[in-house]
Amino acid sequence: MNRLNEMRSTLRSVLMWPKRVTTVVYPPGKSSDLLLQYLDPAETQVINPWGRELNLPTLLHMVLTGDRSRFGYLISYLKLARPKFLVTTSDNDLNFYRIKSFLPNVTTISVQNGIRGNYSSKPNHGFIESIQHNKDLSSSYAITFGSALSQILEENIATKTYVAGSLRNNSFGSGGVVEESDLVIYVSQLPSHKTDPHSIVAYYQDAEISYSDFYQAERTVCDQLARYCSANNLRFEIAGKQNSGFTHEKVFFDPYKISSRNSPLGSYEQLSRANLIVTLDSTIGYEFLARGKRVAFIGGRFALHKNKTVRGMPDVRFGFPLELNPTGPFWIDNLNDVEVVQLLDRVRLMPQDEWQSQLLPFENRLMKFDPCNRDLITFFSNLGIPVRTNHFDEK
């Protein structure tokens, strides 16, 4: 019966005219699942314009326009669906910032989903350098983690910004999780696939970055942390990025204890237990810093890269796009053993009132913390986007 219903749903989506709703969200995943907790389901539709399943009326409309690209398909779909609001969590997709010129009456909104910099999957396609070099990009609004990126977007894109923090971080409540005073946790950033160490996985400008170049620093830092914890009678764990079915992550970090992420907020649950979190440049590191948690940033991901330009990349240093000193109260920019130990001592032993004062200069600049996404949903409601009327009552 479930299979039959699934087939009927697929046929409707393929053959029928695109559903007319107030708000269209794309793509599935990338935190759009969280948005649906707050938006009125009767007035909201999630689409995947890049998927295999295509809508026939949209294809016919696209053929008539003469544009047979995937972008043309998206524009045709939206013209038939006629939403008032279009929201994406693919905030680093430049095509999104071209939609407004084709659909000027639609309110377009991007929602930041990850830390943004200039290394990318193609040469010279970094997000920030791309928006600096491309003209006529626009959106009605851009929702950002913090004011530092807001400033860059407003300088290079015709848009208004709103600082809301991270949808995922804001939706996680840590109540009931007990902090363990002797626990140090490192944040894994390993991808969900095993790759040959010499395979090229990214570029900075036109310089190649191999899998080994990108991820070997994670193993180096974990070796340093294991020695530090052993010398200071502390427990060391790794917060895995992937689920337990991806055994390569455990092999990569062997013999250290690693907890897999088997639920969307699993990493948040684990990191809430830590007295000290250590990261290279993860989004979740900034998220927990915004919560007031003690986080040490070791910005040396490419410190050993053969290319001088990649070694000097500012994007992986703490605070980017802010211009900060290489070393600060809770960050360094290299993998030097002595400096790593000094950093860990500094962050771990700092009095609480001093720690809080060190965070003040960064409040809302890199990552805002908005529990339950209350400010964001109020912002949506004020724009006229239909939200769940009982949302705040449930909280």
Side-chain angles (χ1 to χ4, degrees), residues 238-363:
I238 298 170
K241 184 176 182 180
Q242 308 304 331
N243 63 44
S244 54
F246 183 63
T247 57
H248 173 66
E249 191 169 37
K250 292 186 176 182
V251 172
F252 183 92
F253 289 111
D254 186 68
Y256 306 128
K257 180 179 180 181
I258 181 169
S259 297
S260 300
R261 186 181 70 171
N262 291 316
S263 65
L265 299 177
S267 296
Y268 295 86
E269 294 168 358
Q270 185 181 2
L271 291 172
S272 293
R273 298 166 44 231
N275 177 258
L276 173 62
I277 297 169
V278 182
T279 184
L280 287 171
D281 49 17
S282 66
T283 297
I284 204 169
Y286 287 93
E287 290 172 336
F288 270 83
L289 193 72
R291 289 171 169 266
K293 198 83 168 178
R294 293 184 186 233
V295 185
F297 290 82
I298 301 175
R301 180 176 291 280
F302 302 122
L304 304 179
H305 197 279
K306 61 183 179 294
N307 185 293
K308 183 178 179 181
T309 299
V310 176
R311 288 199 305 273
M313 183 194 309
D315 309 52
V316 295
R317 296 174 182 167
F318 172 76
F320 182 83
L322 299 178
E323 295 182 4
L324 304 173
N325 292 327
T327 300
F330 48 90
W331 71 88
I332 58 175
D333 70 343
N334 62 78
L335 302 175
N336 180 274
D337 286 347
V338 173
E339 290 195 41
V340 168
V341 170
Q342 291 173 343
L343 170 68
L344 297 174
D345 280 343
R346 193 160 61 239
V347 176
R348 190 169 66 88
L349 302 175
M350 191 180 298
Q352 183 60 23
D353 58 347
E354 183 180 349
W355 175 253
Q356 291 174 340
S357 69
Q358 296 292 352
L359 297 183
L360 284 176
F362 301 101
E363 186 173 14

Side-chain angles (χ1 to χ4, degrees), residues 23 29 38 42 60 62 68 76 117 121 123 167 175 185 200 217 227 243 303:
T23 308
Y38 308 116
L60 293 174
M62 182 181 70
R68 301 186 182 184
S76 287
S121 59
L167 265 173
I185 298 184
I200 304 305
R227 292 193 294 269
N243 63 44

Side-chain angles (χ1 to χ4, degrees), residues 71 153 184 251 253 264 325 331 364 390:
F71 180 72
L153 294 183
V184 176
V251 172
F253 289 111
N325 292 327
W331 71 88
N364 294 344
N390 62 342

Side-chain angles (χ1 to χ4, degrees), residues 28-99:
K30 289 192 174 183
S31 296
S32 62
D33 55 326
L34 294 173
L35 274 178
L36 299 184
Q37 297 179 14
Y38 308 116
L39 303 182
D40 183 348
E43 293 292 335
T44 306
Q45 181 185 22
V46 179
I47 65 169
N48 183 9
W50 325 126
R52 294 181 180 180
E53 189 178 290
L54 299 175
N55 175 261
L56 184 57
T58 300
L59 286 172
L60 293 174
H61 184 279
M62 182 181 70
V63 170
L64 292 174
T65 65
D67 185 348
R68 301 186 182 184
S69 67
R70 280 287 185 162
F71 180 72
Y73 175 84
L74 174 59
I75 296 299
S76 287
Y77 187 96
L78 295 171
K79 284 183 176 180
L80 297 182
R82 298 183 184 178
K84 292 182 179 179
F85 302 94
L86 176 67
V87 183
T88 186
T89 49
S90 289
D91 63 292
N92 58 339
D93 177 12
L94 258 63
N95 276 326
F96 175 79
Y97 301 100
R98 298 188 175 102
I99 292 174

